[in-house]
């Protein structure tokens, strides 16, 4: 006899771009049933009112964000909320037995002082936060599988860390020389209207922003320090480019062994990610494009060596809303539930 039970899941913060990606992906997941959508700003509206292109696919109504409503119905809850809100509701959901995946920054930091310094939010949930696992499966797969609370990475850190991890873990670079130059589409900033995201402002232009103070910097530094085995500071500069989806992170670093060539690095990266189905290492002389990853949970990585400067250059391309957000959260869910890591996730992107 077949298995009929599907795991009931809910989404808090369903009206944003992360929320709508979760709805789209979870509705196609063979092991789950989407039973709850919550958002305080849209209570009583149908999800189709917010996203008419999905009106034919779901008739769920947006409900109040109350743990007493959510927990009896949901085994798993995704929190797609602004920073500082997930930490108010997650402890209550965990107490009631739910598994929680947070897409904000609230549970990404092992040191909450760092979180407070960068996000300006005081916390009273230190005991709960200490149990959270950083949700980058390619690095922390075993820990995620045992977790009740996962802090899913930001999109910039995902692309950047996947490019840097083999270099730091294998001791191939001088860690302090690492520089990340990253570019993102406008959807990374969410659905709330902002002047700099207007078509007239963003189109036909590219601009760096939050130089030296972007909030993803300490998140990147935390994991890089873990990989290197000592505290690191990383130079990270983000740029906004006039497209909707995608992130390209280009990483530069000085190699410890200047005798390594491109094919050596490709072999090392391929071995490092041999058990990571969502990371694809490009062949010699092939450099990834964001369009390749569009709509998929894939990360494409290209590697080059500049023998003149002794530097390695690594390029990492992802869809910021899938591998950089909702897709990665579902990848973590699969691990937490003991399912295949690729279950219910798009294996190929939209092209062109």
């Amino acid at each position: 006899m077949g298995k009929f039970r599907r795991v009931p899941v809910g989404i808090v913060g369903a009206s944003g771009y992360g929320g709508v990606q979760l709805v789209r992906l979870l509705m196609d997941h063979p092991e789950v049933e989407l039973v709850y959508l919550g958002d305080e700003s849209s209570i009583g509206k149908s999800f189709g009112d917010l996203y008419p292109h999905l009106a034919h696919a779901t008739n769920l109504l947006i409900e109040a964000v109350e743990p007493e409503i959510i927990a009896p119905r949901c085994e798993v809850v995704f929190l797609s909320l602004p920073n500082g809100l997930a930490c108010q509701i997650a402890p209550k959901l965990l107490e009631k037995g739910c598994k929680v995946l947070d897409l904000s920054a609230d549970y990404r930091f092992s040191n909450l002082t760092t979180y407070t310094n960068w996000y300006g939010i005081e916390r009273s949930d230190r005991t709960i936060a200490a149990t959270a696992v950083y949700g980058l499966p390619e690095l922390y797969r075993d820990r995620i599988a045992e977790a009740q609370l996962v802090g899913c990475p930001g999109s910039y850190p995902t692309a950047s860390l996947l490019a840097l991890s083999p270099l730091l873990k294998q001791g191939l670079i001088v860690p302090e020389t690492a520089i990340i130059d990253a570019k993102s589409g406008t959807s990374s900033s969410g659905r709330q209207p902002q002047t700099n995201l207007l078509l007239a402002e963003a189109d036909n232009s590219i601009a760096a922003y939050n130089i030296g103070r972007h909030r993803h910097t300490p998140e990147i530094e935390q994991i890089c320090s873990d990989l290197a085995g000592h505290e690191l500071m990383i130079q990270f500069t983000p740029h906004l480019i006039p497209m909707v989806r995608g992130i390209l992170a280009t990483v530069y670093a000085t190699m410890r062994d200047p005798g390594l060539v491109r094919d050596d690095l490709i072999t090392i990266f391929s071995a490092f990610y041999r058990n990571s189905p969502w990371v694809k290492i490009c062949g010699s002389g092939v450099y990834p494009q964001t369009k390749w990853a569009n709509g998929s949970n894939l990360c494409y990585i290209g590697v080059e060596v500049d023998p003149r400067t002794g530097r390695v250059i690594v390029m990492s391309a992802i869809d910021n809303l899938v591998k950089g957000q909702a897709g990665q959260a579902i990848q973590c869910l699969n691990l937490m539930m003991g399912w295949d890591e690729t279950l219910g996730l798009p294996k190929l992107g939209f092209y062109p």
Side-chain angles (χ1 to χ4, degrees):
M1 182 175 291
K3 186 174 77 172
F4 294 102
R5 179 183 179 273
R6 288 158 67 97
V7 174
V9 303
I11 303 169
V12 178
S15 65
Y17 287 147
V20 71
Q21 297 301 312
L22 283 168
V23 170
R24 178 176 72 89
L25 296 172
L26 290 169
M27 286 179 62
D28 286 336
H29 196 293
E31 295 289 349
V32 307
E33 180 183 2
L34 188 58
V35 299
Y36 167 87
L37 299 176
D39 198 304
E40 291 292 352
S41 64
S42 305
I43 296 172
K45 295 182 179 180
S46 73
F47 195 70
D49 290 336
L50 303 179
Y51 291 100
H53 71 289
L54 294 176
H56 70 285
T58 177
N59 59 1
L60 285 174
L61 296 178
I62 306 297
E63 301 182 54
V65 180
E66 297 289 345
E68 293 74 16
I69 295 174
I70 302 167
R73 291 158 54 188
C74 299
E75 187 172 330
V76 178
V77 182
F78 293 87
L79 302 180
S80 185
L81 293 165
N83 301 316
L85 296 182
C87 59
Q88 298 177 26
I89 187 174
K92 299 173 185 177
L93 293 171
L94 290 163
E95 184 182 357
K96 295 178 181 296
C98 298
K99 294 180 185 291
V100 176
L101 297 106
D102 176 29
L103 278 66
S104 79
D106 287 9
Y107 291 103
R108 295 174 187 165
F109 292 91
S110 56
N111 184 344
L112 286 189
T113 300
T114 302
Y115 172 88
T116 297
N117 289 342
W118 284 80
Y119 289 85
I121 299 169
E122 295 292 339
R123 300 279 290 274
S124 60
D125 60 333
R126 292 182 178 273
T127 302
I128 292 294
T131 69
V133 174
Y134 191 72
L136 190 60
E138 288 73 19
L139 294 184
Y140 303 113
R141 186 174 283 107
D142 292 343
R143 297 186 202 174
I144 294 168
E146 301 297 324
Q148 290 293 114
L149 172 62
V150 170
C152 299
S155 52
Y156 276 130
T158 295
S160 302
L161 292 169
L162 290 175
L164 269 169
S165 292
L167 301 176
L168 290 168
K169 190 71 173 177
Q170 304 296 339
L172 299 173
I173 60 171
V174 180
E176 291 75 13
T177 67
I179 295 174
I180 303 167
D181 181 294
K183 299 169 178 66
S184 175
T186 60
S187 62
S188 285
S189 297
R191 204 184 190 199
Q192 293 299 316
Q194 301 178 50
T195 300
N196 68 311
L197 301 181
L198 294 171
L199 180 63
E201 301 283 339
D203 197 28
N204 295 311
S205 181
I206 182 171
Y209 64 99
N210 290 346
I211 299 172
R213 55 188 175 86
H214 194 281
R215 287 173 166 180
H216 284 168
T217 301
E219 183 182 338
I220 294 170
E221 290 179 344
Q222 172 184 255
I223 305 305
C224 286
S225 298
D226 181 35
L227 292 167
H230 63 274
E231 289 297 315
L232 280 181
M233 286 194 295
I234 300 290
Q235 196 75 60
F236 167 64
T237 303
H239 301 74
L240 182 71
I241 59 177
M243 66 181 189
V244 175
R245 307 171 79 113
I247 283 181
L248 179 71
T250 304
V251 174
Y252 306 87
T254 300
M255 294 189 298
R256 291 190 186 278
D257 181 358
L260 290 175
V261 299
R262 176 176 62 193
D263 286 349
D264 296 329
L265 271 296
I266 289 175
T267 298
I268 291 168
F269 269 72
S270 298
F272 189 88
Y273 289 118
R274 64 186 179 277
N275 295 319
S276 298
W278 294 114
V279 178
K280 304 300 178 185
I281 309 302
C282 299
S284 295
V286 178
Y287 310 132
Q289 302 176 25
T290 56
K291 188 178 288 290
W292 298 356
N294 194 0
S296 81
N297 198 53
L298 292 167
C299 173
Y300 289 93
I301 292 178
V303 184
E304 189 55 88
V305 169
D306 186 344
R308 189 179 64 86
T309 62
R311 294 192 184 100
V312 58
I313 302 101
V314 185
M315 297 135 284
S316 172
I318 64 170
D319 184 323
N320 57 292
L321 295 177
V322 187
K323 180 57 175 166
Q325 195 169 21
Q328 182 147 264
I330 294 172
Q331 187 181 348
C332 290
L333 168 67
N334 288 338
L335 292 169
M336 294 167 78
M337 301 301 295
W339 300 330
D340 187 280
E341 197 171 321
T342 65
L343 200 63
L345 288 168
K347 299 178 176 64
L348 295 173
F350 307 121
Y351 193 93

